[in-house]
């Protein structure tokens, strides 16, 4: 029976769903880009406001499907904020382009809804539902510029691979269910599976690997990142991957699959390979979006340190490390793609390295934001990225994962090279002073300024954010005893 | 007060950056004034005299990230005070040396210069390992920009190489730090990154070995010690004069400082086992660096390799770890900072005038620029270890101290004293003597450069003639470090440490 309190605890999701409906109706009644944009922004803001209101009610299990707890809420805030940033960037991006732009916001809202469900998912059904809401929104978003051949190509690629991944996921779930007779994460933990359920678990992890673009499931990443419109890439890189990661950790801890030796070895292996391959492939790229795509593969590999370490260090430190790193990763990735968005003229995207030559002298503000974002991605101290990396070091060395940490160091070294390469390109004297674009997108600059502050704030004084997570963050590490 | 030291430089950097709009000279003056103010902040420490062992001249401690027991903890003792003074002094020299060389983006240049110095000061002052690491990395970024933006022909390569070497080795150090903290946490139950708390950690020998290696590699890359030195010739050669001065004069010293502040006190037993290897690397650096220096035709490259050689003495002295050797290390750090800075200023001045560093295209410059040549001779002679000048005292003390620990190694290191004159004098020979290969009509040192060099000459002579004034400052640190150092370790313990005897004799 769902009580009023249950509904209250679900407010962040309910409000967002309502906003999605309102935006859809508004578009049907009066097609206006500005209106859709403003409604979306207001709606996401209201959804964000509901989060502190419900934070006293958690943790709360609402039906077997959804567990709203602090872990889910913190991520929900991050995802919604990222959605807000993406919406603002979309406004600047699509404003100067032709076509019907209003549905972008609708799709962003549904993608956020999917992410919110994933963050709270506690059951295979909500896992699958959340993932599909998110993915279906993303196909449409990626292929949104219908007349762009590359966007279409990227959309199709993502659609096909996502479909395959979903098939893997469903089959894996079916195997696990056949063996254990339950779909609830927590209950799964009490029923140690045998051979078929381990296979099922591995199939589920393959699907997750596709979504997170971990090596060897990474082949779609660069093309999709490159083909999708820059603000959508930002959304894809942050919200989609972050929510799947949040889910992975919860699923792994509650169902105890991380304790299965095969799984933990496989995860560690995937992590090492992702770090190395992602960073190696980024070295030779000359396209900024592709560089960021490959670097994101590396970052997903770094992030895997947290779930792999969770076995030894416990769920709480792992969750803390994951959330801190994700927060940093969100801020710096959004800032980087934000700069790409603002840099892009109406007819194409500024994605070649050459587009950034001399940016420090032509558009110093953008160059500063981009450099800070890149240095943060590289993990230089005083930026958020360093605090995230520090957390991974802490979790990894508590878990004695020396091989992973060694790969992390090598990966960071490689990463430094291509991040610094972009910074160096921006610092070069420009060939000719290009005329400044006439439009001054105020909203985007405001968003970039906030992201810059966040990157520095989290890097210089992370204590308030950490206090939010520690020691209250509590991911139950379910065991048979609790059944 | 200590935080102010760093803050002044950071704020001054921002001001200098913004001041560019008021003319090219504004950032220069602001940078100069900032450094003078910073120097003035240090005066009280000298006025107050130096307290007994175990007392720090000043410290400040604020909570930063309580979750991991990280605090903003700065502290100053004798040896850090000396290095801070060196940093600010050479900072002034770097600003003065760049006065006419840097003509583009003057504001940003001085911003980077001052922020590098701020990072270096932080490194010399930090007593929290996390904070230390932050400063350690922070000083790299502006230095990268100094090399990448205002460097010479091959700057992109040199800058990225510098960045990668120092960053990756830094990550090894970070890993070692985190593991050390976690081991401490398992014993004591709390996370802390505080230097004094971590000194109490008891480690298994095997673990300690790996951790020590993590720190050692990071610091040896910076020092630089063979075989991690390959970034140095490129970075020094390609950097603008001001950058080279800071790199050679100050930044290399952070490596030595890290070794003496962290590696040896944190892992004493392991270091005792490791010291033959470290001293061996030091000796290898002395000889190999010296030979490579001799083979160079690029003036700045020659000086750069000579740094490798001189820093070899530091490594030998540090791992000999007795009073004499450590006094030698302190003096070498100061003296080498000054002499190498002077030689880089000279090389930069030559390049600014004849647009080449290639000594094959020089020769006979003495007739054109007698003042430059004479000053060049002075510092070459200082660098080769002429008695009466700073470097001699340092290297002599190091050898004297090391001899008590390992006679064979010391004998090999002493060969460096033969190589040093060879490469130092060849520099003078090829650049200033001989026939004029190309016709140059160039300006000799002007008043600004003469004043700059004058300061450096006075400093070198002072260290050479009256090293005791420096040793007094670092004496407390020295006694403090050696106390509690086990008898069996590395040195046959003297009943009366030689440092005491020297102190008595040198008292005015």
């Amino acid at each position: 029976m769902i009580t009023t309190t249950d509904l209250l605890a679900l407010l962040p999701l309910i409000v967002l769903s309502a906003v999605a409906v309102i935006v859809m109706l508004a578009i049907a009644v009066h097609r206006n880009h500005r209106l859709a944009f403003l409604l979306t922004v207001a709606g996401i803001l209201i959804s964000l406001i509901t989060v502190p209101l419900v934070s006293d009610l958690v943790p709360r299990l609402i039906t077997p499907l959804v567990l709203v707890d602090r872990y889910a809420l913190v991520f929900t805030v991050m995802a919604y904020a990222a959605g807000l940033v993406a919406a603002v960037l979309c406004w600047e991006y699509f404003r100067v382009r032709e076509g019907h732009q209003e549905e972008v916001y609708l799709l962003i809202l549904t993608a956020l809804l999917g992410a919110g469900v994933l963050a709270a998912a506690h059951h295979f059904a909500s896992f699958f539902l959340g993932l599909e809401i998110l993915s279906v929104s993303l196909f449409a978003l990626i292929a949104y510029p219908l007349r762009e051949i590359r966007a279409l190509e990227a959309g199709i690629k993502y659609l096909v691979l996502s479909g395959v991944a979903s098939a893997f996921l469903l089959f894996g779930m079916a195997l696990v269910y056949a063996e254990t007779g339950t779909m609830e994460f927590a209950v799964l933990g009490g029923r140690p599976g045998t051979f078929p359920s381990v296979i099922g678990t591995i199939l589920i992890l393959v699907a997750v690997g596709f979504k997170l673009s971990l090596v060897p499931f990474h082949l779609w990443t660069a093309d999709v990142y490159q083909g999708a419109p820059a603000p959508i890439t930002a959304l894809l890189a942050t919200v989609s991957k972050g929510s799947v990661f949040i889910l992975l950790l919860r699923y792994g801890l509650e169902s105890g699959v991380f304790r299965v030796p095969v799984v933990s070895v496989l995860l560690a292996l995937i992590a090492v390979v992702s770090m190395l391959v992602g960073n190696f492939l980024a070295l030779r790229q000359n396209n900024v979006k592709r560089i960021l795509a490959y670097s994101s593969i590396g970052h997903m590999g770094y992030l895997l340190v947290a779930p792999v370490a969770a076995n030894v260090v416990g769920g709480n430190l792992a969750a803390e490390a994951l959330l801190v790193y994700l927060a940093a990763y969100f801020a710096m990735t959004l800032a980087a793609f934000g700069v790409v968005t603002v840099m892009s003229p109406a007819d194409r995207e500024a994605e070649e390295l050459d587009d950034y030559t001399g940016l420090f002298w032509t558009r110093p503000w953008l160059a500063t934001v981009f450099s800070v974002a890149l240095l943060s991605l590289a993990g230089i101290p005083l930026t958020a990225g360093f605090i995230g990396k520090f957390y991974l070091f802490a979790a990894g060395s508590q878990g004695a994962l020396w091989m992973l940490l060694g790969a992390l160091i090598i990966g960071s070294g490689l990463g430094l090279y291509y991040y610094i390469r972009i910074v160096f390109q921006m610092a070069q004297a420009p060939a000719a002073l290009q005329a400044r674009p006439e439009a001054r997108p105020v909203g985007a600059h405001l968003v970039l300024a906030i992201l810059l502050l966040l990157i520095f704030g989290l890097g210089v004084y992370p204590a308030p954010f950490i206090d939010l997570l520690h020691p209250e963050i509590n991911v139950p590490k379910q065991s048979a005893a609790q059944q | 007060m200590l935080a102010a030291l760093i803050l002044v430089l950071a704020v001054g950097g921002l001001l200098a950056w913004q001041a560019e709009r008021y003319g090219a000279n504004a950032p220069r003056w602001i940078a100069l004034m900032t450094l003078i103010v910073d120097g003035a902040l240090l005066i009280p420490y000298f006025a107050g005299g130096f307290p007994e062992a175990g007392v720090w001249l000043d410290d400040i401690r604020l909570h930063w990230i309580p979750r991991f027991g990280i605090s903003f903890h700065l502290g100053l003792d004798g040896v850090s005070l000396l290095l801070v003074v060196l940093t600010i002094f050479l900072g002034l020299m770097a600003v003065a040396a760049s006065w006419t060389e840097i003509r583009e983006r003057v504001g940003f240049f001085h911003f980077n210069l001052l922020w590098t110095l701020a990072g270096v000061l932080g490194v010399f002052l930090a007593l929290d390992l996390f904070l230390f690491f932050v400063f350690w990395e922070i000083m790299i970024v502006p230095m990268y920009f100094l090399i990448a933006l205002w460097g010479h022909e091959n700057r992109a390569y040199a800058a990225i190489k510098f960045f990668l070497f120092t960053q990756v080795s830094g990550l090894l150090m970070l890993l070692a730090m985190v593991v050390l903290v976690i081991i401490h946490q398992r014993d004591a139950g709390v996370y802390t990154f505080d230097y004094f708390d971590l000194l109490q950690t008891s480690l298994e020998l095997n673990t300690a070995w790996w951790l020590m290696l993590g720190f050692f590699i990071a610091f040896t890359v910076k020092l630089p010690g063979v075989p991690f030195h390959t970034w140095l010739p490129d970075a020094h050669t390609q950097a603008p004069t001001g950058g080279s001065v800071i790199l050679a004069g100050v930044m290399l010293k952070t490596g030595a400082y890290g070794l003496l502040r962290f590696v040896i006190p944190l892992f004493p037993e392991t270091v005792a086992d490791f010291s033959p290897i470290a001293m061996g690397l030091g000796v290898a650096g002395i000889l190999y660096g010296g030979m490579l220096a001799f083979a160079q035709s690029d003036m700045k490259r020659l000086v750069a390799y000579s740094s490798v050689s001189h820093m070899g003495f530091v490594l030998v002295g540090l791992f000999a770890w007795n009073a004499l050797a450590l006094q030698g290390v302190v003096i070498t750090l100061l003296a080498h900072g000054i002499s190498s800075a002077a030689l880089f200023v000279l090389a930069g001045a030559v390049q600014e005038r004849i647009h080449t560093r290639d000594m094959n295209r020089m020769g006979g410059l003495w007739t054109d620029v007698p003042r430059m040549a004479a000053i060049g001779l002075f510092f070459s002679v200082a660098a080769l270890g002429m008695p009466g000048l700073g470097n001699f005292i340092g290297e002599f003390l190091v050898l004297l101290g090391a001899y008590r620990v390992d006679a064979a190694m010391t004998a090999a290191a002493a060969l460096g004293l033969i190589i040093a004159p060879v490469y130092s004098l060849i520099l003078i020979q090829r650049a200033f003597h001989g026939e004029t290969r190309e016709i140059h009509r160039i300006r000799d040192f002007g008043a600004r450069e003469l004043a700059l060099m004058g300061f450096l000459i006075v400093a070198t002579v002072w260290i050479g003639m009256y090293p005791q004034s420096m040793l007094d400052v670092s004496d407390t640190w020295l006694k403090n470090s050696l106390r509690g150092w086990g008898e069996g370790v590395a040195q046959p313990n003297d009943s009366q440490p030689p440092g005491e005897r020297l102190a008595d004799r040198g008292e005015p």
Side-chain angles (χ1 to χ4, degrees), chain A residues 317 320 361 380-381 386 390-391 393-394 397-398 402 405 412-413 416-417 420 424 427 460-463 466 470, chain B residues 64-65 67-68 105 130 133 137-138 141 144 148-149 156 160 163-164 167-168 171 175 178-179 182 186 191 193:
Chain A
L317 179 61
E320 206 182 324
W361 317 116
I380 303 292
F386 171 66
F390 171 75
Y391 253 104
F393 269 102
S397 36
Q398 284 225 345
W402 307 124
L405 292 178
S412 304
L416 205 59
Y417 175 80
I420 289 295
F424 185 74
V460 175
Y461 193 57
I466 293 174
H470 176 84
Chain B
W64 186 16
I65 308 177
R67 167 78 174 87
F68 288 103
R105 314 164 203 166
F130 187 88
F133 181 78
E137 299 274 294
I138 284 306
V141 179
Y144 166 82
L149 294 184
I160 195 83
F163 206 128
L164 281 180
Q167 244 277 340
V168 174
L171 284 177
L175 181 59
V178 171
V179 174
I182 284 169
R186 281 185 191 151
Y191 285 109
F193 274 79

Side-chain angles (χ1 to χ4, degrees), chain B residues 403-423:
Chain B
Y403 186 75
R404 292 155 190 253
V405 180
D406 192 333
M409 209 77 99
T410 313
L415 289 178
L417 291 181
I418 300 177
I419 300 175
V422 175
Y423 64 72

Side-chain angles (χ1 to χ4, degrees), chain B residues 12-94:
Chain B
L14 289 174
L15 283 179
W17 191 358
Q18 294 309 315
E20 193 172 359
R21 64 190 70 174
Y22 304 113
N25 268 337
R28 297 180 179 130
W29 282 110
I30 286 177
L32 215 53
M33 294 317 293
T34 308
L35 285 161
I36 289 172
V37 168
D38 225 30
L41 285 177
L42 285 174
I43 290 173
Y45 296 118
F46 284 96
F50 298 98
E52 278 307 300
V55 182
W56 289 70
L57 292 173
D58 195 359
D59 79 341
I60 173 175
R61 187 170 182 178
L62 305 166
H63 285 298
W64 186 16
I65 308 177
R67 167 78 174 87
F68 288 103
I70 295 166
S71 55
F72 186 82
H73 190 179
L74 300 175
L76 182 80
D77 70 351
V79 68
S80 33
L81 179 59
L82 283 178
L83 289 169
V84 167
V85 172
L86 177 76
T87 306
I88 293 174
F89 178 64
L90 289 182
L92 284 168
M93 298 302 128

Side-chain angles (χ1 to χ4, degrees), chain B residues 56-389:
Chain B
W56 289 70
L57 292 173
D58 195 359
D59 79 341
I60 173 175
R61 187 170 182 178
L62 305 166
H63 285 298
W64 186 16
I65 308 177
R67 167 78 174 87
F68 288 103
I70 295 166
S71 55
F72 186 82
H73 190 179
L74 300 175
L76 182 80
D77 70 351
V79 68
S80 33
L81 179 59
L82 283 178
L83 289 169
V84 167
V85 172
L86 177 76
T87 306
I88 293 174
F89 178 64
L90 289 182
L92 284 168
M93 298 302 128
V95 173
S98 317
W99 206 270
T100 55
E101 185 191 338
I102 304 299
R103 293 174 191 283
E104 286 177 351
R105 314 164 203 166
V106 185
F108 194 49
F109 177 85
H110 286 90
F111 167 80
N112 282 315
L113 195 70
L114 290 177
W115 275 57
T116 309
L117 292 173
V120 173
L121 283 194
V123 164
F124 288 145
L125 295 175
L127 285 180
D128 181 283
L129 266 67
F130 187 88
L131 183 66
F132 175 81
F133 181 78
V134 167
F135 282 125
W136 180 263
E137 299 274 294
I138 284 306
M139 67 182 178
I140 300 173
V141 179
M143 182 46 92
Y144 166 82
F145 280 115
L146 284 183
I147 301 173
L149 294 184
W150 293 273
H152 302 306
E153 64 284 347
N154 205 6
R155 57 182 185 268
Y157 171 75
I160 195 83
K161 195 168 173 185
F162 162 74
F163 206 128
L164 281 180
F165 266 74
T166 40
Q167 244 277 340
V168 174
S169 64
L171 284 177
L172 286 177
M173 175 166 71
L174 178 68
L175 181 59
M177 276 180 191
V178 171
V179 174
L180 180 68
V181 166
I182 284 169
I183 290 174
H184 183 269
Q185 188 257 348
R186 281 185 191 151
D187 290 347
V190 287
Y191 285 109
T192 176
F193 274 79
D194 198 77
Y195 175 63
F196 298 110
D197 294 339
L198 291 175
L199 281 180
Q200 318 296 333
T201 316
S202 55
L203 295 164
E204 276 177 53
L205 212 56
N206 197 22
T207 325
W209 181 266
W210 285 105
L211 295 186
M212 197 267 314
L213 218 55
F215 282 91
F216 181 79
I217 289 176
F219 295 136
T220 318
V221 165
K222 206 52 151 295
L223 187 61
V226 174
F228 307 113
H229 65 283
T230 58
W231 63 271
L232 177 131
D234 291 310
H236 282 56
T237 310
Q238 300 302 328
T241 306
S244 300
V245 168
I246 299 296
L247 261 177
V250 184
M251 234 183 211
L252 303 190
K253 275 67 195 175
T254 59
Y257 177 81
L259 288 172
L260 67 83
R261 174 72 78 211
F262 294 103
V263 171
I264 298 177
L266 281 173
F267 312 104
E269 291 88 5
T270 322
V271 165
D273 292 342
F274 187 67
S275 71
I277 300 174
M279 287 173 78
L281 286 178
V283 171
I286 295 173
L287 300 178
Y288 184 66
M291 283 193 281
L292 283 182
F294 175 67
Q296 302 306 317
S297 59
D298 182 316
M299 202 171 186
K300 284 179 96 172
R301 237 179 146 77
L302 189 155
V303 184
Y305 274 113
S306 83
S307 291
V308 177
S309 177
H310 289 296
M311 289 298 114
F313 280 101
V314 170
L315 204 55
V316 170
L318 276 174
F319 280 82
W321 200 254
N322 56 34
L324 271 179
L326 287 183
Q327 287 173 329
V329 166
V330 172
I331 298 295
T332 305
L333 290 181
L334 299 175
H336 172 262
I338 289 166
S339 69
S340 65
L343 286 173
F344 276 119
V345 171
L346 191 81
V350 169
Q351 184 175 18
E352 199 183 338
R353 285 165 172 78
I354 64 174
H355 306 290
T356 180
R357 303 183 303 269
D358 188 355
M359 289 189 293
N360 291 327
R361 297 178 53 197
M362 297 177 194
L365 288 181
W366 196 294
T367 46
D368 286 325
V369 283
R371 290 183 215 146
M372 274 169 86
I375 291 170
L377 181 63
F378 176 85
F379 282 106
S380 290
V381 168
L384 68 80
M386 170 78 93
L389 300 175

Side-chain angles (χ1 to χ4, degrees), chain A residues 206-241:
Chain A
V206 166
V208 167
F210 266 113
K211 294 292 173 189
L212 293 178
S213 68
L214 294 164
V215 179
F217 317 110
H218 65 286
L219 294 169
W220 58 274
T221 320
D223 291 341
V224 172
Y225 267 54
Q226 189 187 2
I232 302 305
T233 315
L235 192 74
L236 172 73
T238 54
V239 171
S240 147
K241 294 193 172 178

Side-chain angles (χ1 to χ4, degrees), chain A residues 349-364:
Chain A
E349 289 201 348
E351 53 182 4
E352 291 303 322
L353 209 47
D354 288 339
D355 293 330
Y356 293 84
T357 309
L359 199 64
F360 265 110
W361 317 116
T362 49
R363 302 175 81 175

